[in-house]
Amino acid sequence: MENLTFDQLPQAMRLLHDKMDRLELLLTELRAPQETDAVLNVKQAAAFLHLSVSSLYVKVCHREVPFNKRGKRLYFYKTELDEWVRKGRRKTVSELQEEAGQHLLIGKGKA
């Protein structure tokens, strides 16, 4: 630690104050409750999935989409819907060709 002169004290105090503000902000962020998974009702879930409410009901009836039921009400977790959408990803032509090439190599014993 270096020795400060009387003239350097205001600047040193300002720096110390700025560092304390940053530390306080970091501690506040750490103490903040973690964001919980959003629970959506039927209308919100339909809007999130870009579906009509009736189309969403059909998917629920066929158990194609993850849902929760309490009494007569349906609820959806946003993360579960997001994961459901991601699982429906289709491979591109180039991905399919690469996969087919890998299978051919394995079949010939070159992989």
Side-chain angles (χ1 to χ4, degrees), residues 53-69:
V53 172
S54 59
S55 294
L56 182 57
Y57 275 120
V58 169
K59 291 191 179 299
V60 167
C61 183
H62 292 131
R63 296 189 180 265
E64 295 175 8
V65 64
F67 67 95
N68 297 281
K69 188 171 183 181

Side-chain angles (χ1 to χ4, degrees), residues 95-108:
E95 288 173 332
L96 290 170
Q97 288 173 341
E98 183 179 326
E99 214 171 87
Q102 291 296 321
H103 285 295
L104 288 174
L105 287 175
I106 290 171
K108 293 180 181 179

